[in-house]
Amino acid sequence: IRHALIPALERIVPGASTAIARNADLLADDADLLNSLTIAAFDACCRRLGSTIQIDRDALRSQPRALQRRIMVLAAQAVSDGIELTRERVEALRTAAISGNVGSRIEIGRGVSGLVDYDCLLVGPDDQLGPELRRIHGLPELEPGKTIAIEHSMSVSAGPDWVIAIEIACRATGWVLRTRSPGDRLLLPNDHHKRLQDWLVDRKVPVVVRDRLPLLVHDGVVRWVAGVSVGDYEDVHSRLTARLMTRTGDEQRDGEHAAGN
């Protein structure tokens, strides 16, 4: 470039090398400003959670597209030092954060991906995205596929922070505590039924959590979803009560109320 291209440019446009140097200085100043703006925007939109970066989707949408792309690059570099993103991967990640469907996963490379949730995009190692997202939401959980027959009063551990206390005042049959199965339906307080999948979507329960939620089921019908249904569950016929409590003994009060008949 120095020995062939620059002399050729000077012959065509005298003073070209001076103009190029001047523009390079201007572009360097522009780059410094963009870098400063990107760092401020990153701090406004993102926070570190363990080995992942959580990007607030609404906050990101308020940023100019040029900064959105740079935020994606910073987030990936924050969880994988030295990673290089192609333009296509940057744009795929940015588009997912702005308008992607919940549960979508975007592979970046080097074992790093982005996972779309309702309010955030989580960027980090593939094997950490699900566990970290579950920690963010802090809902009770059982191992997928687990079923516990309820034949007497008991307390069931539901993850590191929760205990489900079940009390039965008389002999009752057909009750189990389990995770969801295909085709599950929930009995609503008005005696109507609704597909459990639709009910969970309506309440914006994350995809990575749904298969682990503890369900109180009687004769194949879901009666109560721990951590999502509001308050306690009580069935007057079986004289059964279920309560979600923290390990310190406090009852959990969030979610939607489910009442027995």
Side-chain angles (χ1 to χ4, degrees):
I1 291 176
R2 179 180 299 172
H3 295 292
L5 183 58
I6 296 299
L9 286 172
E10 284 289 348
R11 287 193 295 271
I12 299 170
V13 183
S17 58
T18 301
I20 290 172
R22 184 171 59 249
N23 285 329
D25 288 339
L26 294 174
L27 289 172
D29 291 340
D30 290 347
D32 288 342
L33 175 60
L34 273 173
N35 288 336
S36 297
L37 292 173
T38 300
I39 292 172
F42 182 88
D43 291 341
C45 297
C46 309
R47 62 172 178 150
R48 178 174 283 278
L49 296 170
S51 59
T52 67
I53 297 294
Q54 182 186 24
I55 303 173
D56 185 291
R57 297 180 71 184
D58 282 341
L60 184 71
R61 292 185 186 106
S62 69
Q63 300 294 334
R65 278 184 292 179
L67 294 184
Q68 292 173 359
R69 295 186 182 98
R70 287 169 171 259
I71 289 170
M72 297 300 103
V73 174
L74 279 186
Q77 292 175 342
V79 298
S80 180
D81 187 40
I83 191 172
E84 294 185 6
L85 277 68
T86 65
R87 179 182 177 184
E88 183 269 336
R89 288 293 85 192
V90 171
E91 193 61 22
L93 198 60
R94 186 191 74 84
T95 301
I98 297 301
S99 58
N101 293 327
V102 173
S104 299
R105 187 181 289 258
I106 300 86
E107 294 183 0
I108 300 172
R110 292 181 59 176
V112 175
S113 295
L115 180 62
V116 180
D117 194 22
Y118 287 99
D119 300 319
C120 73
L121 174 76
L122 207 61
V123 177
D126 293 332
D127 61 351
Q128 294 299 311
L129 293 177
E132 195 61 62
L133 196 56
R134 293 199 298 272
R135 281 193 288 272
I136 290 172
H137 289 277
L139 291 170
E141 58 182 66
L142 298 174
E143 283 298 316
K146 187 169 186 177
T147 298
I148 302 170
I150 301 172
E151 298 175 348
H152 51 76
S153 298
M154 62 176 65
S155 293
V156 178
S157 176
D161 301 319
W162 301 103
V163 172
I164 299 173
I166 299 174
E167 298 177 4
I168 302 179
C170 63
R171 181 173 177 79
T173 60
W175 291 92
V176 298
L177 193 68
R178 63 166 173 81
T179 55
R180 70 172 178 167
S181 298
D184 272 341
R185 300 187 71 82
L186 175 70
L187 180 64
L188 301 176
N190 58 8
D191 287 339
H192 293 164
H193 290 79
K194 186 168 186 174
R195 288 181 63 229
L196 179 63
Q197 168 71 11
D198 296 339
W199 189 82
L200 294 174
V201 169
D202 290 344
R203 279 144 192 83
K204 296 185 176 181
V205 176
V207 175
V208 298
V209 175
R210 295 173 195 169
D211 285 339
R212 295 173 174 267
L213 285 173
L215 311 176
L216 183 64
V217 181
H218 184 246
D219 290 342
V221 178
V222 179
R223 301 298 186 90
W224 182 68
V225 183
V228 185
S229 299
V230 163
D232 305 339
Y233 177 86
E234 183 176 0
D235 184 89
V236 296
H237 300 300
S238 298
R239 298 175 65 187
L240 177 147
T241 300
R243 295 182 176 88
L244 178 64
M245 308 177 70
T246 66
R247 291 193 179 277
T248 60
D250 298 325
E251 292 189 21
Q252 194 263 357
R253 299 292 184 185
D254 298 330
E256 172 166 330
H257 178 64
N261 298 306

